[in-house]
Amino acid sequence: MFTLTLKDFEEARARIAPHIKHTPLLTSQQLSDITGYDIRLKAECFQKVGAYKIRGPLNKFALMPEEQKRRGVVCSSAGNHAQGVALAARIHGIRAVVCMAENATPAKIAATKGYGAEVVLHGTIWDEANEKAKELVRDQGLTYVHPFDDEQLIAGQGTLGLEIIQDWPDVDAVIVPIGGGGLIAGVSMAVKSHNPKIRVIGVESSDGPAMQASKAAGALQTIECNTIIDGLRVRRCGELNFSVVQRFVDEIVALPDKEIFEAMIWVMERCKLVVEGAAAAPVGALLHELVKLPAGSKVAVVLSGGNLNLDQLRGLKWN
Ligand SMILES: Cc1ncc(COP(=O)(O)O)c(C=O)c1O
C-alpha cells in the first residue's frame, strides 16, 4: 500500500528546497480568539507561482530519467497545476506543454506562457483539453504530469507538511483543502510520520464533496460536482490519494461555495492576505465551527494559494 516515510519527505524537500520558499506560519489573533484555538496560517499563497503546486512537479522532475526529460512533459490544467508544471519544467530545463480549454482565462494563459510553457488550446472543457494532452503523450512521447494522483508529486506536495512540523513541532491539528486529494495525501503522511497523533482534517465544498462521498462509501466515487471553486472542483479523486486519506485523514468537513467565498473575503479583510477560494475553505470551516477540537489546540491552517481571479471580486460594492 502506498505510504511515504519521514525520510521520503526529507529527501523530497532536499531536492526542491533550492527552488522554493519555506513559507511562514503566521499567527492569527482574530481567528484564535474566535475559535478558542491557537491558530497559525501556513501562508503558501506566498509560494513561487502563488500556490503549493510547484512542489510536486519540482520533485517529480528532479527524479526523472534524462531520456524522459529530453522528450518533455505535458499536463492539462487552466489553474495552479499549469503554472507549477511550467515553472518547475523551466527550472529543470525541460520542455513543457500545457493543454487548456479554449475558454481559459487570458490571464492564466499569459501566466503559464510567462513561465516558459507552450500552451495548446483545445476543446471547451477540461476533459477535452486532457484528451489533447493524452494525444501528445502518444504522438510526441511527452510524459504526462497528473495534477494530483502521482507518488512523486504527492511526496513533493507533502513537503509543505514537513515545514509545518519543523516550525511548530507540537502542533495538534492541520486543516487542509481537498480537490483531487494530492495535497492532503502528502501533508497527512508527512505530519503523521512525525507524530501519528496530529489530527488531519480535510475541507471540501459541499457543492462537490468527492472525497467525503468516497470516504463515506468506503470506495472511490464519481460525483456530480457543482462547485465553481477552482482547485476544489473534482468529480473523482485520485486512487492513491483516496487510499492515503482512508488511512491518514481523521475527518473531512464540507461547506457551501457561498460560505467559502465569504471566508475568502474575511481572510483578505482581517488577515490582509490574498487567498483564493480553495485556500479559504479551511478558514471557512473554522468560522462555521465545523472543526471540533479541545480548547487551546494548536492548529495549522493551510492557505494553499493566492491565485484569485480578480474578476470574481468585481461587482462587490466600492466603499
Ligand atoms: C490553491 C489550491 N488549493 C488546494 C487544491 C486542492 O489540491 P488537491 O487537488 O491536491 O487536493 C488546489 C488544486 O488545484 C489548489 O490549486
Side-chain angles (χ1 to χ4, degrees), residues 50-53 79-81 147-148 157 177-184 230-232 234 241 276 278-279 304-307:
Y52 76 93
K53 281 274 182 179
N80 292 328
H81 182 54
F148 46 77
Q157 321 294 36
I178 303 180
L183 176 61
I184 199 167
D230 247 14
L232 304 184
V234 169
N241 300 327
E276 59 188 278
S304 48
N307 290 328

mmCIF file with all atom_site columns, all heavy atoms in Angstrom, residues 50-53 79-81 147-148 157 177-184 230-232 234 241 276 278-279 304-307, ligand 1:
data_model
loop_
_atom_site.group_PDB
_atom_site.id
_atom_site.type_symbol
_atom_site.label_atom_id
_atom_site.label_alt_id
_atom_site.label_comp_id
_atom_site.label_asym_id
_atom_site.label_entity_id
_atom_site.label_seq_id
_atom_site.pdbx_PDB_ins_code
_atom_site.Cartn_x
_atom_site.Cartn_y
_atom_site.Cartn_z
_atom_site.occupancy
_atom_site.B_iso_or_equiv
_atom_site.pdbx_formal_charge
_atom_site.auth_seq_id
_atom_site.auth_comp_id
_atom_site.auth_asym_id
_atom_site.auth_atom_id
_atom_site.pdbx_PDB_model_num
ATOM   1   N N   . GLY A 1 50  ? 2.546   31.329 -6.617  1.00 0.00 ? 50  GLY A N   1
ATOM   2   C CA  . GLY A 1 50  ? 1.370   31.721 -5.834  1.00 0.00 ? 50  GLY A CA  1
ATOM   3   C C   . GLY A 1 50  ? 0.591   30.571 -5.227  1.00 0.00 ? 50  GLY A C   1
ATOM   4   O O   . GLY A 1 50  ? -0.523  30.770 -4.733  1.00 0.00 ? 50  GLY A O   1
ATOM   5   N N   . ALA A 1 51  ? 1.146   29.364 -5.247  1.00 0.00 ? 51  ALA A N   1
ATOM   6   C CA  . ALA A 1 51  ? 0.450   28.215 -4.646  1.00 0.00 ? 51  ALA A CA  1
ATOM   7   C C   . ALA A 1 51  ? 1.441   27.070 -4.435  1.00 0.00 ? 51  ALA A C   1
ATOM   8   O O   . ALA A 1 51  ? 2.523   27.058 -5.040  1.00 0.00 ? 51  ALA A O   1
ATOM   9   C CB  . ALA A 1 51  ? -0.691  27.756 -5.552  1.00 0.00 ? 51  ALA A CB  1
ATOM   10  N N   . TYR A 1 52  ? 1.038   26.115 -3.602  1.00 0.00 ? 52  TYR A N   1
ATOM   11  C CA  . TYR A 1 52  ? 1.916   24.974 -3.287  1.00 0.00 ? 52  TYR A CA  1
ATOM   12  C C   . TYR A 1 52  ? 2.217   24.118 -4.506  1.00 0.00 ? 52  TYR A C   1
ATOM   13  O O   . TYR A 1 52  ? 3.096   23.265 -4.474  1.00 0.00 ? 52  TYR A O   1
ATOM   14  C CB  . TYR A 1 52  ? 1.243   24.093 -2.213  1.00 0.00 ? 52  TYR A CB  1
ATOM   15  C CG  . TYR A 1 52  ? 0.139   23.253 -2.782  1.00 0.00 ? 52  TYR A CG  1
ATOM   16  C CD1 . TYR A 1 52  ? 0.395   21.963 -3.212  1.00 0.00 ? 52  TYR A CD1 1
ATOM   17  C CD2 . TYR A 1 52  ? -1.140  23.780 -2.963  1.00 0.00 ? 52  TYR A CD2 1
ATOM   18  C CE1 . TYR A 1 52  ? -0.604  21.204 -3.801  1.00 0.00 ? 52  TYR A CE1 1
ATOM   19  C CE2 . TYR A 1 52  ? -2.134  23.026 -3.555  1.00 0.00 ? 52  TYR A CE2 1
ATOM   20  C CZ  . TYR A 1 52  ? -1.858  21.738 -3.971  1.00 0.00 ? 52  TYR A CZ  1
ATOM   21  O OH  . TYR A 1 52  ? -2.825  20.992 -4.567  1.00 0.00 ? 52  TYR A OH  1
ATOM   22  N N   . LYS A 1 53  ? 1.529   24.354 -5.604  1.00 0.00 ? 53  LYS A N   1
ATOM   23  C CA  . LYS A 1 53  ? 1.538   23.454 -6.758  1.00 0.00 ? 53  LYS A CA  1
ATOM   24  C C   . LYS A 1 53  ? 2.877   23.304 -7.474  1.00 0.00 ? 53  LYS A C   1
ATOM   25  O O   . LYS A 1 53  ? 2.998   22.498 -8.386  1.00 0.00 ? 53  LYS A O   1
ATOM   26  C CB  . LYS A 1 53  ? 0.493   23.927 -7.766  1.00 0.00 ? 53  LYS A CB  1
ATOM   27  C CG  . LYS A 1 53  ? -0.913  23.521 -7.392  1.00 0.00 ? 53  LYS A CG  1
ATOM   28  C CD  . LYS A 1 53  ? -1.191  22.138 -7.898  1.00 0.00 ? 53  LYS A CD  1
ATOM   29  C CE  . LYS A 1 53  ? -2.605  21.694 -7.589  1.00 0.00 ? 53  LYS A CE  1
ATOM   30  N NZ  . LYS A 1 53  ? -2.877  20.352 -8.095  1.00 0.00 ? 53  LYS A NZ  1
ATOM   31  N N   . GLY A 1 79  ? -5.270  26.030 -14.235 1.00 0.00 ? 79  GLY A N   1
ATOM   32  C CA  . GLY A 1 79  ? -5.104  26.638 -12.913 1.00 0.00 ? 79  GLY A CA  1
ATOM   33  C C   . GLY A 1 79  ? -3.687  26.550 -12.399 1.00 0.00 ? 79  GLY A C   1
ATOM   34  O O   . GLY A 1 79  ? -2.727  26.677 -13.165 1.00 0.00 ? 79  GLY A O   1
ATOM   35  N N   . ASN A 1 80  ? -3.569  26.312 -11.110 1.00 0.00 ? 80  ASN A N   1
ATOM   36  C CA  . ASN A 1 80  ? -2.259  26.350 -10.467 1.00 0.00 ? 80  ASN A CA  1
ATOM   37  C C   . ASN A 1 80  ? -1.328  25.241 -10.934 1.00 0.00 ? 80  ASN A C   1
ATOM   38  O O   . ASN A 1 80  ? -0.116  25.413 -10.939 1.00 0.00 ? 80  ASN A O   1
ATOM   39  C CB  . ASN A 1 80  ? -2.440  26.259 -8.947  1.00 0.00 ? 80  ASN A CB  1
ATOM   40  C CG  . ASN A 1 80  ? -3.103  27.512 -8.404  1.00 0.00 ? 80  ASN A CG  1
ATOM   41  O OD1 . ASN A 1 80  ? -2.903  28.602 -8.944  1.00 0.00 ? 80  ASN A OD1 1
ATOM   42  N ND2 . ASN A 1 80  ? -3.887  27.373 -7.353  1.00 0.00 ? 80  ASN A ND2 1
ATOM   43  N N   . HIS A 1 81  ? -1.901  24.095 -11.310 1.00 0.00 ? 81  HIS A N   1
ATOM   44  C CA  . HIS A 1 81  ? -1.056  22.985 -11.772 1.00 0.00 ? 81  HIS A CA  1
ATOM   45  C C   . HIS A 1 81  ? -0.293  23.410 -13.034 1.00 0.00 ? 81  HIS A C   1
ATOM   46  O O   . HIS A 1 81  ? 0.892   23.090 -13.191 1.00 0.00 ? 81  HIS A O   1
ATOM   47  C CB  . HIS A 1 81  ? -1.939  21.765 -12.045 1.00 0.00 ? 81  HIS A CB  1
ATOM   48  C CG  . HIS A 1 81  ? -1.196  20.538 -12.471 1.00 0.00 ? 81  HIS A CG  1
ATOM   49  N ND1 . HIS A 1 81  ? -0.149  20.008 -11.748 1.00 0.00 ? 81  HIS A ND1 1
ATOM   50  C CD2 . HIS A 1 81  ? -1.347  19.716 -13.554 1.00 0.00 ? 81  HIS A CD2 1
ATOM   51  C CE1 . HIS A 1 81  ? 0.303   18.917 -12.372 1.00 0.00 ? 81  HIS A CE1 1
ATOM   52  N NE2 . HIS A 1 81  ? -0.399  18.729 -13.458 1.00 0.00 ? 81  HIS A NE2 1
ATOM   53  N N   . PRO A 1 147 ? -2.349  16.019 -12.205 1.00 0.00 ? 147 PRO A N   1
ATOM   54  C CA  . PRO A 1 147 ? -2.460  17.119 -11.232 1.00 0.00 ? 147 PRO A CA  1
ATOM   55  C C   . PRO A 1 147 ? -2.481  16.676 -9.768  1.00 0.00 ? 147 PRO A C   1
ATOM   56  O O   . PRO A 1 147 ? -2.239  17.490 -8.880  1.00 0.00 ? 147 PRO A O   1
ATOM   57  C CB  . PRO A 1 147 ? -3.774  17.797 -11.607 1.00 0.00 ? 147 PRO A CB  1
ATOM   58  C CG  . PRO A 1 147 ? -4.534  16.804 -12.425 1.00 0.00 ? 147 PRO A CG  1
ATOM   59  C CD  . PRO A 1 147 ? -3.524  15.921 -13.091 1.00 0.00 ? 147 PRO A CD  1
ATOM   60  N N   . PHE A 1 148 ? -2.821  15.411 -9.490  1.00 0.00 ? 148 PHE A N   1
ATOM   61  C CA  . PHE A 1 148 ? -2.859  15.046 -8.054  1.00 0.00 ? 148 PHE A CA  1
ATOM   62  C C   . PHE A 1 148 ? -2.547  13.582 -7.747  1.00 0.00 ? 148 PHE A C   1
ATOM   63  O O   . PHE A 1 148 ? -2.157  13.273 -6.648  1.00 0.00 ? 148 PHE A O   1
ATOM   64  C CB  . PHE A 1 148 ? -4.216  15.429 -7.426  1.00 0.00 ? 148 PHE A CB  1
ATOM   65  C CG  . PHE A 1 148 ? -5.438  15.059 -8.228  1.00 0.00 ? 148 PHE A CG  1
ATOM   66  C CD1 . PHE A 1 148 ? -5.908  13.762 -8.259  1.00 0.00 ? 148 PHE A CD1 1
ATOM   67  C CD2 . PHE A 1 148 ? -6.129  16.032 -8.942  1.00 0.00 ? 148 PHE A CD2 1
ATOM   68  C CE1 . PHE A 1 148 ? -7.041  13.435 -8.990  1.00 0.00 ? 148 PHE A CE1 1
ATOM   69  C CE2 . PHE A 1 148 ? -7.267  15.712 -9.692  1.00 0.00 ? 148 PHE A CE2 1
ATOM   70  C CZ  . PHE A 1 148 ? -7.731  14.407 -9.710  1.00 0.00 ? 148 PHE A CZ  1
ATOM   71  N N   . GLN A 1 157 ? 4.337   17.626 -2.725  1.00 0.00 ? 157 GLN A N   1
ATOM   72  C CA  . GLN A 1 157 ? 3.318   18.465 -2.062  1.00 0.00 ? 157 GLN A CA  1
ATOM   73  C C   . GLN A 1 157 ? 3.424   18.304 -0.540  1.00 0.00 ? 157 GLN A C   1
ATOM   74  O O   . GLN A 1 157 ? 3.217   19.244 0.224   1.00 0.00 ? 157 GLN A O   1
ATOM   75  C CB  . GLN A 1 157 ? 1.883   18.119 -2.506  1.00 0.00 ? 157 GLN A CB  1
ATOM   76  C CG  . GLN A 1 157 ? 1.638   17.784 -3.969  1.00 0.00 ? 157 GLN A CG  1
ATOM   77  C CD  . GLN A 1 157 ? 1.859   18.899 -4.965  1.00 0.00 ? 157 GLN A CD  1
ATOM   78  O OE1 . GLN A 1 157 ? 2.766   19.700 -4.793  1.00 0.00 ? 157 GLN A OE1 1
ATOM   79  N NE2 . GLN A 1 157 ? 1.078   18.921 -6.025  1.00 0.00 ? 157 GLN A NE2 1
ATOM   80  N N   . PRO A 1 177 ? -7.269  21.947 2.492   1.00 0.00 ? 177 PRO A N   1
ATOM   81  C CA  . PRO A 1 177 ? -8.330  21.828 1.480   1.00 0.00 ? 177 PRO A CA  1
ATOM   82  C C   . PRO A 1 177 ? -8.123  20.593 0.606   1.00 0.00 ? 177 PRO A C   1
ATOM   83  O O   . PRO A 1 177 ? -6.987  20.155 0.399   1.00 0.00 ? 177 PRO A O   1
ATOM   84  C CB  . PRO A 1 177 ? -8.176  23.110 0.644   1.00 0.00 ? 177 PRO A CB  1
ATOM   85  C CG  . PRO A 1 177 ? -6.755  23.537 0.844   1.00 0.00 ? 177 PRO A CG  1
ATOM   86  C CD  . PRO A 1 177 ? -6.332  23.047 2.196   1.00 0.00 ? 177 PRO A CD  1
ATOM   87  N N   . ILE A 1 178 ? -9.221  20.053 0.063   1.00 0.00 ? 178 ILE A N   1
ATOM   88  C CA  . ILE A 1 178 ? -9.141  18.866 -0.801  1.00 0.00 ? 178 ILE A CA  1
ATOM   89  C C   . ILE A 1 178 ? -9.800  19.140 -2.148  1.00 0.00 ? 178 ILE A C   1
ATOM   90  O O   . ILE A 1 178 ? -10.950 19.576 -2.215  1.00 0.00 ? 178 ILE A O   1
ATOM   91  C CB  . ILE A 1 178 ? -9.880  17.657 -0.164  1.00 0.00 ? 178 ILE A CB  1
ATOM   92  C CG1 . ILE A 1 178 ? -9.318  17.332 1.220   1.00 0.00 ? 178 ILE A CG1 1
ATOM   93  C CG2 . ILE A 1 178 ? -9.783  16.429 -1.076  1.00 0.00 ? 178 ILE A CG2 1
ATOM   94  C CD1 . ILE A 1 178 ? -10.007 16.140 1.894   1.00 0.00 ? 178 ILE A CD1 1
ATOM   95  N N   . GLY A 1 179 ? -9.039  18.874 -3.226  1.00 0.00 ? 179 GLY A N   1
ATOM   96  C CA  . GLY A 1 179 ? -9.606  18.840 -4.571  1.00 0.00 ? 179 GLY A CA  1
ATOM   97  C C   . GLY A 1 179 ? -9.565  17.384 -5.004  1.00 0.00 ? 179 GLY A C   1
ATOM   98  O O   . GLY A 1 179 ? -10.428 16.570 -4.696  1.00 0.00 ? 179 GLY A O   1
ATOM   99  N N   . GLY A 1 180 ? -8.468  17.028 -5.702  1.00 0.00 ? 180 GLY A N   1
ATOM   100 C CA  . GLY A 1 180 ? -8.265  15.614 -6.057  1.00 0.00 ? 180 GLY A CA  1
ATOM   101 C C   . GLY A 1 180 ? -7.611  14.822 -4.942  1.00 0.00 ? 180 GLY A C   1
ATOM   102 O O   . GLY A 1 180 ? -7.520  13.602 -5.021  1.00 0.00 ? 180 GLY A O   1
ATOM   103 N N   . GLY A 1 181 ? -7.095  15.529 -3.943  1.00 0.00 ? 181 GLY A N   1
ATOM   104 C CA  . GLY A 1 181 ? -6.565  14.867 -2.754  1.00 0.00 ? 181 GLY A CA  1
ATOM   105 C C   . GLY A 1 181 ? -5.049  14.734 -2.685  1.00 0.00 ? 181 GLY A C   1
ATOM   106 O O   . GLY A 1 181 ? -4.524  14.138 -1.747  1.00 0.00 ? 181 GLY A O   1
ATOM   107 N N   . GLY A 1 182 ? -4.337  15.309 -3.647  1.00 0.00 ? 182 GLY A N   1
ATOM   108 C CA  . GLY A 1 182 ? -2.872  15.183 -3.642  1.00 0.00 ? 182 GLY A CA  1
ATOM   109 C C   . GLY A 1 182 ? -2.217  15.918 -2.487  1.00 0.00 ? 182 GLY A C   1
ATOM   110 O O   . GLY A 1 182 ? -1.280  15.411 -1.852  1.00 0.00 ? 182 GLY A O   1
ATOM   111 N N   . LEU A 1 183 ? -2.702  17.122 -2.210  1.00 0.00 ? 183 LEU A N   1
ATOM   112 C CA  . LEU A 1 183 ? -2.101  17.919 -1.143  1.00 0.00 ? 183 LEU A CA  1
ATOM   113 C C   . LEU A 1 183 ? -2.304  17.260 0.214   1.00 0.00 ? 183 LEU A C   1
ATOM   114 O O   . LEU A 1 183 ? -1.360  17.069 0.982   1.00 0.00 ? 183 LEU A O   1
ATOM   115 C CB  . LEU A 1 183 ? -2.713  19.328 -1.158  1.00 0.00 ? 183 LEU A CB  1
ATOM   116 C CG  . LEU A 1 183 ? -2.258  20.273 -0.044  1.00 0.00 ? 183 LEU A CG  1
ATOM   117 C CD1 . LEU A 1 183 ? -0.756  20.526 -0.105  1.00 0.00 ? 183 LEU A CD1 1
ATOM   118 C CD2 . LEU A 1 183 ? -3.008  21.606 -0.124  1.00 0.00 ? 183 LEU A CD2 1
ATOM   119 N N   . ILE A 1 184 ? -3.538  16.862 0.495   1.00 0.00 ? 184 ILE A N   1
ATOM   120 C CA  . ILE A 1 184 ? -3.797  16.281 1.820   1.00 0.00 ? 184 ILE A CA  1
ATOM   121 C C   . ILE A 1 184 ? -3.120  14.902 1.950   1.00 0.00 ? 184 ILE A C   1
ATOM   122 O O   . ILE A 1 184 ? -2.693  14.530 3.048   1.00 0.00 ? 184 ILE A O   1
ATOM   123 C CB  . ILE A 1 184 ? -5.303  16.215 2.139   1.00 0.00 ? 184 ILE A CB  1
ATOM   124 C CG1 . ILE A 1 184 ? -5.492  16.060 3.653   1.00 0.00 ? 184 ILE A CG1 1
ATOM   125 C CG2 . ILE A 1 184 ? -6.022  15.105 1.366   1.00 0.00 ? 184 ILE A CG2 1
ATOM   126 C CD1 . ILE A 1 184 ? -6.903  16.285 4.162   1.00 0.00 ? 184 ILE A CD1 1
ATOM   127 N N   . ASP A 1 230 ? -12.213 26.834 -8.201  1.00 0.00 ? 230 ASP A N   1
ATOM   128 C CA  . ASP A 1 230 ? -11.014 26.270 -8.821  1.00 0.00 ? 230 ASP A CA  1
ATOM   129 C C   . ASP A 1 230 ? -10.198 25.563 -7.759  1.00 0.00 ? 230 ASP A C   1
ATOM   130 O O   . ASP A 1 230 ? -9.951  26.105 -6.704  1.00 0.00 ? 230 ASP A O   1
ATOM   131 C CB  . ASP A 1 230 ? -10.146 27.460 -9.282  1.00 0.00 ? 230 ASP A CB  1
ATOM   132 C CG  . ASP A 1 230 ? -10.033 27.546 -10.760 1.00 0.00 ? 230 ASP A CG  1
ATOM   133 O OD1 . ASP A 1 230 ? -10.814 26.887 -11.441 1.00 0.00 ? 230 ASP A OD1 1
ATOM   134 O OD2 . ASP A 1 230 ? -9.156  28.296 -11.215 1.00 0.00 ? 230 ASP A OD2 1
ATOM   135 N N   . GLY A 1 231 ? -9.744  24.397 -8.036  1.00 0.00 ? 231 GLY A N   1
ATOM   136 C CA  . GLY A 1 231 ? -8.899  23.715 -7.054  1.00 0.00 ? 231 GLY A CA  1
ATOM   137 C C   . GLY A 1 231 ? -9.703  22.706 -6.247  1.00 0.00 ? 231 GLY A C   1
ATOM   138 O O   . GLY A 1 231 ? -9.184  21.673 -5.863  1.00 0.00 ? 231 GLY A O   1
ATOM   139 N N   . LEU A 1 232 ? -10.972 22.992 -6.002  1.00 0.00 ? 232 LEU A N   1
ATOM   140 C CA  . LEU A 1 232 ? -11.825 22.045 -5.265  1.00 0.00 ? 232 LEU A CA  1
ATOM   141 C C   . LEU A 1 232 ? -12.748 21.287 -6.219  1.00 0.00 ? 232 LEU A C   1
ATOM   142 O O   . LEU A 1 232 ? -13.479 20.394 -5.810  1.00 0.00 ? 232 LEU A O   1
ATOM   143 C CB  . LEU A 1 232 ? -12.692 22.787 -4.232  1.00 0.00 ? 232 LEU A CB  1
ATOM   144 C CG  . LEU A 1 232 ? -11.972 23.658 -3.207  1.00 0.00 ? 232 LEU A CG  1
ATOM   145 C CD1 . LEU A 1 232 ? -12.978 24.225 -2.204  1.00 0.00 ? 232 LEU A CD1 1
ATOM   146 C CD2 . LEU A 1 232 ? -10.891 22.869 -2.475  1.00 0.00 ? 232 LEU A CD2 1
ATOM   147 N N   . VAL A 1 234 ? -13.572 18.752 -8.482  1.00 0.00 ? 234 VAL A N   1
ATOM   148 C CA  . VAL A 1 234 ? -13.141 17.430 -8.955  1.00 0.00 ? 234 VAL A CA  1
ATOM   149 C C   . VAL A 1 234 ? -14.312 16.460 -8.821  1.00 0.00 ? 234 VAL A C   1
ATOM   150 O O   . VAL A 1 234 ? -14.950 16.392 -7.776  1.00 0.00 ? 234 VAL A O   1
ATOM   151 C CB  . VAL A 1 234 ? -11.941 16.924 -8.103  1.00 0.00 ? 234 VAL A CB  1
ATOM   152 C CG1 . VAL A 1 234 ? -11.655 15.471 -8.383  1.00 0.00 ? 234 VAL A CG1 1
ATOM   153 C CG2 . VAL A 1 234 ? -10.699 17.751 -8.388  1.00 0.00 ? 234 VAL A CG2 1
ATOM   154 N N   . ASN A 1 241 ? -4.591  8.835  -3.667  1.00 0.00 ? 241 ASN A N   1
ATOM   155 C CA  . ASN A 1 241 ? -4.966  9.798  -2.625  1.00 0.00 ? 241 ASN A CA  1
ATOM   156 C C   . ASN A 1 241 ? -6.079  9.254  -1.737  1.00 0.00 ? 241 ASN A C   1
ATOM   157 O O   . ASN A 1 241 ? -6.054  9.423  -0.521  1.00 0.00 ? 241 ASN A O   1
ATOM   158 C CB  . ASN A 1 241 ? -5.402  11.124 -3.259  1.00 0.00 ? 241 ASN A CB  1
ATOM   159 C CG  . ASN A 1 241 ? -4.298  11.725 -4.088  1.00 0.00 ? 241 ASN A CG  1
ATOM   160 O OD1 . ASN A 1 241 ? -3.124  11.563 -3.756  1.00 0.00 ? 241 ASN A OD1 1
ATOM   161 N ND2 . ASN A 1 241 ? -4.641  12.380 -5.165  1.00 0.00 ? 241 ASN A ND2 1
ATOM   162 N N   . GLU A 1 276 ? -7.073  32.470 -2.536  1.00 0.00 ? 276 GLU A N   1
ATOM   163 C CA  . GLU A 1 276 ? -8.140  32.041 -3.446  1.00 0.00 ? 276 GLU A CA  1
ATOM   164 C C   . GLU A 1 276 ? -9.127  31.171 -2.677  1.00 0.00 ? 276 GLU A C   1
ATOM   165 O O   . GLU A 1 276 ? -8.873  30.803 -1.507  1.00 0.00 ? 276 GLU A O   1
ATOM   166 C CB  . GLU A 1 276 ? -7.547  31.314 -4.638  1.00 0.00 ? 276 GLU A CB  1
ATOM   167 C CG  . GLU A 1 276 ? -6.723  30.092 -4.310  1.00 0.00 ? 276 GLU A CG  1
ATOM   168 C CD  . GLU A 1 276 ? -6.027  29.549 -5.557  1.00 0.00 ? 276 GLU A CD  1
ATOM   169 O OE1 . GLU A 1 276 ? -6.672  28.820 -6.340  1.00 0.00 ? 276 GLU A OE1 1
ATOM   170 O OE2 . GLU A 1 276 ? -4.839  29.859 -5.741  1.00 0.00 ? 276 GLU A OE2 1
ATOM   171 N N   . ALA A 1 278 ? -10.115 28.006 -2.743  1.00 0.00 ? 278 ALA A N   1
ATOM   172 C CA  . ALA A 1 278 ? -9.669  26.714 -2.186  1.00 0.00 ? 278 ALA A CA  1
ATOM   173 C C   . ALA A 1 278 ? -8.904  26.930 -0.883  1.00 0.00 ? 278 ALA A C   1
ATOM   174 O O   . ALA A 1 278 ? -9.072  26.184 0.088   1.00 0.00 ? 278 ALA A O   1
ATOM   175 C CB  . ALA A 1 278 ? -8.792  25.992 -3.201  1.00 0.00 ? 278 ALA A CB  1
ATOM   176 N N   . ALA A 1 279 ? -8.097  27.972 -0.862  1.00 0.00 ? 279 ALA A N   1
ATOM   177 C CA  . ALA A 1 279 ? -7.256  28.228 0.305   1.00 0.00 ? 279 ALA A CA  1
ATOM   178 C C   . ALA A 1 279 ? -8.066  28.742 1.494   1.00 0.00 ? 279 ALA A C   1
ATOM   179 O O   . ALA A 1 279 ? -7.660  28.575 2.653   1.00 0.00 ? 279 ALA A O   1
ATOM   180 C CB  . ALA A 1 279 ? -6.175  29.244 -0.067  1.00 0.00 ? 279 ALA A CB  1
ATOM   181 N N   . SER A 1 304 ? -3.511  27.442 0.868   1.00 0.00 ? 304 SER A N   1
ATOM   182 C CA  . SER A 1 304 ? -2.772  26.731 -0.180  1.00 0.00 ? 304 SER A CA  1
ATOM   183 C C   . SER A 1 304 ? -2.387  27.570 -1.396  1.00 0.00 ? 304 SER A C   1
ATOM   184 O O   . SER A 1 304 ? -1.496  27.194 -2.151  1.00 0.00 ? 304 SER A O   1
ATOM   185 C CB  . SER A 1 304 ? -3.593  25.519 -0.621  1.00 0.00 ? 304 SER A CB  1
ATOM   186 O OG  . SER A 1 304 ? -4.928  25.917 -0.872  1.00 0.00 ? 304 SER A OG  1
ATOM   187 N N   . GLY A 1 305 ? -3.062  28.700 -1.615  1.00 0.00 ? 305 GLY A N   1
ATOM   188 C CA  . GLY A 1 305 ? -2.711  29.507 -2.778  1.00 0.00 ? 305 GLY A CA  1
ATOM   189 C C   . GLY A 1 305 ? -3.425  30.846 -2.806  1.00 0.00 ? 305 GLY A C   1
ATOM   190 O O   . GLY A 1 305 ? -4.414  31.059 -2.095  1.00 0.00 ? 305 GLY A O   1
ATOM   191 N N   . GLY A 1 306 ? -2.915  31.729 -3.649  1.00 0.00 ? 306 GLY A N   1
ATOM   192 C CA  . GLY A 1 306 ? -3.496  33.077 -3.722  1.00 0.00 ? 306 GLY A CA  1
ATOM   193 C C   . GLY A 1 306 ? -3.803  33.507 -5.135  1.00 0.00 ? 306 GLY A C   1
ATOM   194 O O   . GLY A 1 306 ? -3.911  34.706 -5.412  1.00 0.00 ? 306 GLY A O   1
ATOM   195 N N   . ASN A 1 307 ? -3.959  32.545 -6.040  1.00 0.00 ? 307 ASN A N   1
ATOM   196 C CA  . ASN A 1 307 ? -4.199  32.909 -7.434  1.00 0.00 ? 307 ASN A CA  1
ATOM   197 C C   . ASN A 1 307 ? -5.686  33.104 -7.705  1.00 0.00 ? 307 ASN A C   1
ATOM   198 O O   . ASN A 1 307 ? -6.336  32.298 -8.368  1.00 0.00 ? 307 ASN A O   1
ATOM   199 C CB  . ASN A 1 307 ? -3.588  31.866 -8.362  1.00 0.00 ? 307 ASN A CB  1
ATOM   200 C CG  . ASN A 1 307 ? -2.083  31.946 -8.326  1.00 0.00 ? 307 ASN A CG  1
ATOM   201 O OD1 . ASN A 1 307 ? -1.511  33.030 -8.142  1.00 0.00 ? 307 ASN A OD1 1
ATOM   202 N ND2 . ASN A 1 307 ? -1.423  30.814 -8.453  1.00 0.00 ? 307 ASN A ND2 1
HETATM 203 C C1  . LIG B 2 .   ? -4.868  26.576 -4.194  1.00 0.00 ? 1   LIG B C1  1
HETATM 204 C C2  . LIG B 2 .   ? -5.275  25.140 -4.186  1.00 0.00 ? 1   LIG B C2  1
HETATM 205 N N1  . LIG B 2 .   ? -5.615  24.568 -3.018  1.00 0.00 ? 1   LIG B N1  1
HETATM 206 C C3  . LIG B 2 .   ? -6.000  23.285 -2.938  1.00 0.00 ? 1   LIG B C3  1
HETATM 207 C C4  . LIG B 2 .   ? -6.081  22.492 -4.068  1.00 0.00 ? 1   LIG B C4  1
HETATM 208 C C5  . LIG B 2 .   ? -6.510  21.045 -3.953  1.00 0.00 ? 1   LIG B C5  1
HETATM 209 O O1  . LIG B 2 .   ? -5.410  20.203 -4.096  1.00 0.00 ? 1   LIG B O1  1
HETATM 210 P P1  . LIG B 2 .   ? -5.567  18.674 -4.465  1.00 0.00 ? 1   LIG B P1  1
HETATM 211 O O2  . LIG B 2 .   ? -6.177  18.581 -5.833  1.00 0.00 ? 1   LIG B O2  1
HETATM 212 O O3  . LIG B 2 .   ? -4.180  18.149 -4.423  1.00 0.00 ? 1   LIG B O3  1
HETATM 213 O O4  . LIG B 2 .   ? -6.443  18.084 -3.418  1.00 0.00 ? 1   LIG B O4  1
HETATM 214 C C6  . LIG B 2 .   ? -5.720  23.030 -5.318  1.00 0.00 ? 1   LIG B C6  1
HETATM 215 C C7  . LIG B 2 .   ? -5.770  22.216 -6.525  1.00 0.00 ? 1   LIG B C7  1
HETATM 216 O O5  . LIG B 2 .   ? -5.639  22.665 -7.635  1.00 0.00 ? 1   LIG B O5  1
HETATM 217 C C8  . LIG B 2 .   ? -5.305  24.384 -5.383  1.00 0.00 ? 1   LIG B C8  1
HETATM 218 O O6  . LIG B 2 .   ? -4.961  24.950 -6.545  1.00 0.00 ? 1   LIG B O6  1
#
